[in-house]
Amino acid sequence: MSLTEISIKRPILIIVFFIVVALLGIFAVKQLKYELLPKINAPIITISAIYTGASPAEIENTLTKKIEDAIAGVSKVKRISSRSNEGYAVITIEFVQDTDLDKSMQEVQRYINQILPDLPKDAKTPVIDKYSLADLPILRIASTAKMNENDFFELLKNQIKPQLSQIKGVGRIQLIGGQEKELKIFLDENKLKQYKISILSVMQALQKANVEIPIGDIKDKDAQFGLRLRGKFGEISALENLDILKMNDESKIKLKDIAQIIFGNKEITTLTRLNQKNAIGIVIQKQSDANAVEVSEKVHLALHNLESEYKNENLHFEVASDSSEFTLKAIETVFHDLLIAIVLVALVMLVFLHSLRNAVIVVIAIPASLIFSFLGMFIMGFSLNLMTLLAMSLVIGILVDDSIVVLENIYRHLEMGKDKVKASLEGRNEIAFSALSITLVDVVVFLPLAFVPGITGGLVKEFALVIVVSTLASLLVCFTLTPMLASRFAKLEHLSNKTLFGFIILRIEKQIQNLTLAYVYLLKKSLKYRFIVYILAFGSLIASFELVSRGYIGGEFVPATDKGEISVTVEMPAGTKLQETNEVSAFLEQKIAKLPEVKRIFNTIGLANDPIFGELTTSNVMEFSILLTDKEKRTKSILQVSQQIKNLCLQEAGLKVKVSPIGLIGAEATPIQILINGTDRQKMLEYAKKLKKYTQNIQGTDDVILSVTSGKPELDIEINRERLATLGLQLEEVMMALRVAMTGFEDLKFKDKNTEIGVRVQLQKIDRENTQNLENLSFLNAKGEIIYLKQIAKITRTSAETALERRNKNASVILFSKAIGKSVNEIGQEIKNFVDKNPPAQGIKISYEGDLELADDSFLYLGLAILAGIVFIYLIMVALYNSFLYPFVVLFSIPVALTGALLALALMMKTLNVFSIFDAPFFLAFPIKILNFLEKLILIDKKKK
């Protein structure tokens, strides 16, 4: 007994089966999480190493190169990139696609542990982490309260932040701005000289007198007690009276004799404002496996509870940006489109099937198939995101294909006078092979997309598998539910002009007949003048390809998305103080706020998350996170507003401005990236500047910059080693003394009530604020003689690179450029032509990255997947027609389908990108299904005659 026969003879069994599936599907839908995009895990590991105060050159020599050498033996590495900034280095390891990142992290950690003794003593232990797009902040919050600034910061740091950290799914929490208390010990240079005390001896005395360690246990008769020696300073008087030096006359020099000890604030390095009002910023990231929407909801609830708890302090939180808002809006829009698609399909079915009953039977196939999709998504661990919902929207038409084919044939058998049960059984059996082949065509076209690797694969996998599951479910429905319903409810309809429904349908039917006659006439002419048809088809195909080659259709990896969010990074001249940066920032913020499209501005000064250079923490940068009004409420696109904001910022002299609309995967970095690397850094930079100058003159380029720039003012201290040895000093103690004097020593803690606050030991401001004082900085040798810095070193003013980059152990620099009004591929080709005509010097290599690399890889893998789908289609037709030759006739129709697709892209001014290529399988499968169905109808018609 066939599956269809069981369905018709035992309908209750089928009803129960689909009820069970529906209940499981509803449960699955409730468990599915909302996400903007599927999880995209790039095979990348980052190593962050901090060495406060060190220059980029020093960071490169003491940290970057050593780490690069250490990890050289890690397996499956595709490339290693590094960037040495002032005070820290970031080394990025990119692996091949099939790498197990957990094992690779363990391997990297093992190699790093081996070189820890070789790293500078003051450098912090390198931190190893996986790179994930999920690490982007999901919430930016501005907090205010009517409290003392120090107390408010302490409240956020010690009370609010720990409570938010306990929320399930919350990852890193960063506080931006605010004033934190610090105990300052300002050393007097003149007093140090007078008493012949070195900076290092003061530091060592403080370290020895400020320790606290557990000693052990003591077992008494009644109990066992733990022993701990309380050695940390808890009173200012104890710190002031600390003995630093014992003089020859037995008198003692105390800390208060050579230093000023005061409670103050840490030096402010970052500031935050929301809509021109000062605040302390809270930036929240989620854990990699957490759901952004759920985390956001829990954080919002926690913030509301905290406001109630600290009502007396007028604690208030205002969310500046929430990534889950766009996710929910986007998914709501797709759901809305999904419902519209179902309604439109139902109306089309009603028109063409001439029966409300038949239309309902077909439309039932849609939810019956989709419920399998939800169940499959739950089993495979997918989420409700743009890609899975997009797949459901696009697959609506496919879901009714099989049921329409089966129902039409059942209806034909009813017209032959058969009863409903017999018509349903014979009608389905007669067309079964055709329905099976139609479904298999869709499956084999989309299934290869699930095996595409990399970022593209992460986007397309869930899309493809949802379509495959839905399509297979529709096949099951057409074999079971559709014939079962038809055997009970199908009815021959006799249309009449006397009813409104019959009048409308008959008029539409008449127009369809006229269209059919016109098509038959055109078909006859085409068969008569075949050569002309061949020429027109071939000519239109060539013309459509010309649309791509001549630039009417551009190419890119992912198209720009209007989320209504813009990130603006503004950089002032290197060396600008934070106060001056803040003044300019406030002025720019005021100008931007006047734009009618701007809804909210979250401003950070001294900190910027640049899409190109990563996190920048210098006094001369600022970042504006701008939220625009809803797209429907503004007359300008996000690109127009971005350009307007950029023009406003550039009205101020000396500013470097980068405006990046926030896309689907964060701030949109520049799509054009050209890597120049080689062994000779100077020649490499010269060629990079030459290439930059040419790129700036290419029409369509914007924000052309190099990743490494010079111009930062710097004092170069060149030590005379011979004189250093003659005067009885060691290089290490000179460097340490300079570091403590200028940057400060901050490894000490002071107990203030129940909390510990930081202690900074440093020269007083007057002794370290100009070059002349630096030259007179004194050191003490073993003989007790005072040696000045100018005696052992030469100090010169110079300018240095803001950062140093390396790629695969060679010096490198990257040229970045945006594309405006012109495709990425066109600009990339012009740059390639220039490089071919003006090759760099020997030893310098040029590589194309960014969208140029991603687009090439994406198109390659997607092209291979589509090619695999064509091969599978051919093999299916070989099996269906029992011929290796005949299927080629059908396959020749596939290229012609490209004509319409490319023409549509050109007319709509869209590009060839990952998302537009996703639709390729639809037009691959459509001609095959039509021809296959016509073939079956011809065979049926022959049998009838």
Side-chain angles (χ1 to χ4, degrees):
M1 188 180 293
S2 67
L3 186 61
T4 302
E5 194 172 353
I6 293 174
S7 303
I8 293 174
K9 293 182 178 181
R10 298 193 61 184
I12 293 178
L13 177 64
I14 297 302
I15 292 172
V16 169
F17 171 75
F18 277 96
I19 289 176
V20 171
V21 172
L23 292 174
L24 292 174
I26 293 171
F27 171 78
V29 171
K30 296 292 184 181
Q31 299 299 313
L32 292 176
K33 297 177 180 179
Y34 291 105
E35 294 283 5
L36 183 61
L37 291 171
K39 289 183 180 179
I40 304 173
N41 295 319
I44 296 173
I45 289 176
T46 60
I47 305 171
S48 303
I50 298 175
Y51 187 16
T52 307
S55 67
E58 188 177 358
I59 290 287
E60 184 179 73
N61 291 322
T62 60
L63 286 178
T64 306
K65 289 183 178 180
K66 290 181 179 180
I67 293 174
E68 284 180 348
D69 291 339
I71 61 177
V74 177
S75 57
K76 295 189 175 182
V77 172
K78 183 178 179 181
R79 58 189 169 204
I80 299 175
S81 307
S82 66
R83 182 175 176 86
S84 302
N85 301 279
E86 183 175 356
Y88 69 96
V90 178
I91 296 92
T92 304
I93 313 171
E94 185 176 348
F95 295 86
V96 296
Q97 289 297 332
D98 62 342
T99 304
D100 185 336
L101 276 189
D102 291 327
K103 291 183 178 179
S104 296
M105 279 193 70
Q106 295 174 6
E107 191 176 0
V108 170
Q109 184 68 67
R110 189 170 64 251
Y111 283 115
I112 294 297
N113 290 340
Q114 293 174 1
I115 63 162
L116 289 179
D118 298 330
L119 301 181
K121 293 179 181 179
D122 291 338
K124 295 184 179 180
T125 303
V127 177
I128 304 170
D129 202 1
K130 295 179 187 176
Y131 171 80
S132 174
L133 295 173
D135 293 337
L136 298 171
I138 61 170
L139 284 165
R140 286 185 172 89
I141 305 163
S143 58
T144 56
K146 289 186 177 180
M147 299 174 63
N148 175 276
E149 291 183 345
N150 292 128
D151 294 338
F152 181 38
F153 185 85
E154 291 297 319
L155 174 67
L156 290 175
K157 181 182 177 182
N158 300 322
Q159 302 294 330
I160 306 300
K161 183 178 177 182
Q163 290 188 52
L164 294 177
S165 299
Q166 293 173 9
I167 297 174
K168 186 178 179 181
V170 170
R172 181 189 177 200
I173 299 179
Q174 183 181 16
L175 298 179
I176 305 176
Q179 291 191 343
E180 186 175 4
K181 284 194 298 185
E182 183 179 65
L183 183 63
K184 297 179 179 292
I185 302 176
F186 289 127
L187 301 177
D188 188 323
E189 171 71 2
N190 292 326
K191 295 287 183 66
L192 291 176
K193 293 176 186 177
Q194 179 183 343
Y195 296 116
K196 294 187 176 181
I197 300 174
S198 69
I199 292 176
L200 294 183
S201 63
V202 177
M203 185 183 72
Q204 290 167 2
L206 284 167
Q207 285 180 305
K208 291 178 181 179
N210 193 59
V211 293
E212 186 171 294
I213 59 174
I215 298 174
D217 298 325
I218 184 170
K219 295 181 180 180
D220 205 343
K221 294 178 181 180
D222 300 327
Q224 179 172 309
F225 300 94
L227 296 176
R228 186 176 62 177
L229 175 64
R230 295 188 179 276
K232 288 191 176 180
F233 290 110
E235 296 179 1
I236 294 291
S237 59
L239 191 58
E240 289 176 335
N241 293 309
L242 176 67
D243 294 335
I244 301 297
L245 178 67
K246 186 176 182 180
M247 306 294 286
N248 293 330
D249 59 0
E250 298 299 322
S251 62
K252 296 178 180 179
I253 304 301
K254 300 183 181 298
L255 185 60
K256 65 182 179 181
D257 296 326
I258 59 171
Q260 182 186 12
I261 305 170
I262 59 172
F263 274 110
N265 295 320
K266 277 189 175 182
E267 183 181 356
I268 297 176
T269 57
T270 58
L271 296 168
T272 303
R273 278 192 298 272
L274 177 62
N275 294 333
Q276 305 179 64
K277 295 179 181 178
N278 292 329
I280 296 180
I282 305 175
V283 178
I284 299 178
Q285 296 176 354
K286 72 180 184 67
Q287 295 173 355
S288 57
D289 294 331
N291 178 258
V293 176
E294 290 182 357
V295 173
S296 177
E297 289 177 353
K298 292 176 182 177
V299 171
H300 276 276
L301 179 60
L303 294 177
H304 177 73
N305 293 335
L306 287 168
E307 285 180 338
S308 300
E309 183 179 349
Y310 294 95
K311 188 176 181 180
N312 294 335
E313 286 78 16
N314 288 327
L315 180 63
H316 177 65
F317 299 101
E318 187 170 353
V319 176
S321 65
D322 184 350
S323 65
S324 67
E325 290 180 357
F326 180 78
T327 300
L328 292 174
K329 287 181 182 178
I331 290 175
E332 182 183 350
T333 302
V334 177
F335 262 125
H336 183 259
D337 294 342
L338 180 61
L339 292 175
I340 291 176
I342 293 175
V343 172
L344 291 176
V345 168
L347 292 175
V348 171
M349 293 302 99
L350 183 62
V351 169
F352 283 91
L353 296 179
H354 303 167
S355 168
L356 182 60
R357 290 190 181 192
N358 292 341
V360 170
I361 291 172
V362 171
V363 170
I364 286 175
I366 297 175
S369 302
L370 288 180
I371 208 71
F372 280 95
S373 301
F374 290 121
L375 196 55
M377 289 166 59
F378 174 75
I379 294 172
M380 291 184 287
F382 295 169
S383 61
L384 284 171
N385 54 65
L386 288 183
M387 300 311 300
T388 53
L389 290 173
L390 177 63
M392 288 185 181
S393 300
L394 295 176
V395 84
I396 293 298
I398 296 176
L399 297 183
V400 295
D401 282 352
D402 297 332
S403 293
I404 291 173
V405 171
V406 170
L407 193 61
E408 280 280 12
N409 206 43
I410 290 173
Y411 198 81
R412 189 176 65 83
H413 279 264
L414 287 174
E415 290 176 334
M416 294 167 61
K418 298 178 183 179
D419 63 83
K420 290 185 286 187
V421 173
K422 188 175 181 181
S424 299
L425 183 61
E426 293 183 0
R428 204 290 299 169
N429 289 337
E430 191 175 48
I431 208 74
F433 209 47
S434 177
L436 179 63
S437 61
I438 289 173
T439 303
L440 288 179
V441 165
D442 289 321
V443 170
V444 300
V445 167
F446 284 99
L447 189 59
L449 294 178
F451 299 96
V452 173
I455 294 177
T456 308
L459 286 172
V460 75
K461 180 181 179 180
E462 295 187 13
F463 172 84
L465 289 180
V466 167
I467 290 180
V468 168
V469 171
S470 302
T471 305
L472 291 174
S474 71
L475 182 64
L476 177 64
V477 169
C478 86
F479 275 20
T480 56
L481 198 59
T482 300
M484 186 271 287
L485 292 172
S487 68
R488 298 304 190 273
F489 304 106
K491 180 183 177 182
L492 281 174
E493 295 286 349
H494 301 286
L495 300 176
S496 171
N497 283 320
K498 296 180 180 180
T499 64
L500 178 63
F501 178 76
F503 177 77
I504 294 173
I505 295 300
L506 287 174
R507 292 293 297 270
I508 294 175
E509 189 69 25
K510 184 177 180 182
Q511 296 301 321
I512 292 175
Q513 288 176 355
N514 293 335
L515 185 63
T516 303
L517 292 174
Y519 167 71
V520 170
Y521 175 78
L522 182 63
L523 184 60
K524 288 180 180 179
K525 291 293 183 181
S526 301
L527 293 173
K528 184 177 180 180
Y529 302 102
R530 297 179 183 179
F531 186 72
I532 295 177
V533 173
Y534 294 153
I535 293 175
L536 290 175
F538 184 75
S540 61
L541 183 61
I542 297 300
S544 64
F545 289 150
E546 284 292 306
L547 293 174
V548 178
S549 62
R550 293 182 180 273
Y552 293 102
I553 301 175
E556 57 187 341
F557 177 59
V558 177
T561 304
D562 190 344
K563 289 181 64 177
E565 295 181 51
I566 301 173
S567 174
V568 182
T569 303
V570 180
E571 185 178 351
M572 296 185 68
T576 303
K577 294 182 179 180
L578 185 68
Q579 183 179 357
E580 186 179 348
T581 305
N582 184 35
E583 291 173 358
V584 174
S585 175
F587 179 69
L588 293 177
E589 190 177 352
Q590 190 176 10
K591 293 172 66 175
I592 295 171
K594 293 179 181 178
L595 297 178
E597 295 83 9
V598 174
K599 182 179 180 181
R600 194 182 299 144
I601 305 175
F602 184 74
N603 184 11
T604 57
I605 303 98
L607 173 69
N609 289 285
D610 190 271
I612 296 174
F613 304 125
E615 187 174 274
L616 302 175
T617 52
T618 58
S619 61
N620 65 316
V621 299
M622 65 192 85
E623 180 185 19
F624 301 93
S625 296
I626 301 170
L627 180 67
L628 305 181
T629 55
D630 292 340
K631 188 177 179 180
E632 298 77 17
K633 296 180 181 179
R634 48 186 158 92
T635 57
K636 296 179 182 178
S637 69
I638 193 169
L639 292 178
Q640 291 174 317
V641 177
S642 298
Q643 190 61 44
Q644 190 174 1
I645 291 173
K646 183 178 179 180
N647 293 337
L648 285 176
C649 294
L650 288 176
Q651 290 175 5
E652 299 300 309
L655 300 185
K656 295 180 181 178
V657 183
K658 291 189 284 292
V659 181
S660 305
I662 305 296
L664 291 177
I665 52 177
E668 295 178 356
T670 52
I672 300 168
Q673 300 179 18
I674 315 295
L675 173 72
I676 307 105
N677 73 328
T679 53
D680 191 325
R681 177 167 270 146
Q682 190 59 39
K683 290 183 178 179
M684 178 199 68
L685 287 173
E686 288 176 1
Y687 187 81
K689 291 175 182 178
K690 180 180 178 182
L691 186 60
K692 175 188 174 183
K693 186 177 180 181
Y694 174 78
T695 305
Q696 286 175 323
N697 294 325
I698 297 177
Q699 186 178 2
T701 60
D702 191 31
D703 283 345
V704 182
I705 59 173
L706 295 176
S707 60
V708 174
T709 58
S710 58
K712 181 186 176 183
E714 192 174 83
L715 291 176
D716 185 28
I717 303 174
E718 184 180 355
I719 299 290
N720 187 322
R721 293 178 180 270
E722 291 184 6
R723 191 172 298 174
L724 186 73
T726 303
L727 295 174
L729 291 175
Q730 294 182 355
L731 181 60
E732 183 180 5
E733 63 180 315
V734 171
M735 292 177 64
M736 285 298 299
L738 277 169
R739 180 177 175 80
V740 174
M742 298 296 117
T743 304
F745 178 73
E746 50 185 338
D747 286 349
L748 303 175
K749 297 295 180 182
F750 180 86
K751 283 203 169 182
D752 182 25
K753 298 178 182 179
N754 296 323
T755 61
E756 288 187 346
I757 65 173
V759 178
R760 183 180 294 272
V761 184
Q762 193 176 24
L763 280 185
Q764 58 186 356
K765 188 175 181 181
I766 194 172
D767 292 330
R768 52 181 168 85
E769 65 180 1
N770 59 56
T771 308
Q772 185 177 359
N773 288 346
L774 178 64
E775 291 177 341
N776 292 319
L777 184 66
S778 62
F779 306 92
L780 206 65
N781 63 15
K783 298 178 182 179
E785 298 172 335
I786 296 177
I787 311 298
Y788 295 98
L789 181 62
K790 61 185 177 183
Q791 293 178 259
I792 58 173
K794 180 182 178 182
I795 303 175
T796 55
R797 291 179 180 269
T798 183
S799 62
E801 286 81 7
T802 55
L804 298 175
E805 291 190 346
R806 288 164 61 84
R807 174 67 62 83
N808 295 331
K809 295 188 177 184
N810 282 330
S812 67
V813 61
I814 301 177
L815 183 146
F816 296 96
S817 174
K818 290 183 178 179
I820 298 179
K822 202 171 185 180
S823 74
V824 172
N825 286 355
E826 284 182 274
I827 296 173
Q829 190 58 51
E830 289 191 44
I831 294 174
K832 290 176 182 179
N833 293 338
F834 174 80
V835 172
D836 291 339
K837 294 178 181 177
N838 303 272
Q842 189 174 2
I844 298 175
K845 295 182 180 179
I846 307 294
S847 303
Y848 301 94
E849 300 184 348
D851 274 17
L852 294 174
E853 179 187 31
L854 287 172
D856 289 343
D857 289 345
S858 302
F859 294 166
L860 173 63
Y861 289 125
L862 286 174
L864 290 174
I866 292 172
L867 182 61
I870 294 174
V871 173
F872 288 144
I873 289 174
Y874 169 75
L875 294 176
I876 288 175
M877 288 190 295
V878 167
L880 288 174
Y881 302 128
N882 196 30
S883 169
F884 285 97
L885 184 61
Y886 180 70
F888 281 106
V889 177
V890 180
L891 290 177
F892 286 143
S893 65
I894 293 177
V896 182
L898 285 170
T899 304
L902 295 176
L903 180 60
L905 288 175
L907 292 175
M908 298 298 293
M909 300 180 69
K910 301 297 181 181
T911 61
L912 270 174
N913 53 67
V914 172
F915 291 101
S916 59
I917 293 177
F918 283 172
D919 296 330
F922 285 101
F923 65 75
L924 287 180
F926 185 72
I928 311 299
K929 292 195 288 185
I930 293 296
L931 292 171
N932 183 53
F933 182 56
L934 290 175
E935 175 74 14
K936 293 300 176 184
L937 290 181
I938 292 171
L939 291 175
I940 291 171
D941 191 55
K942 286 182 179 179
K943 289 180 182 179
K944 184 179 177 181
K945 291 180 179 179

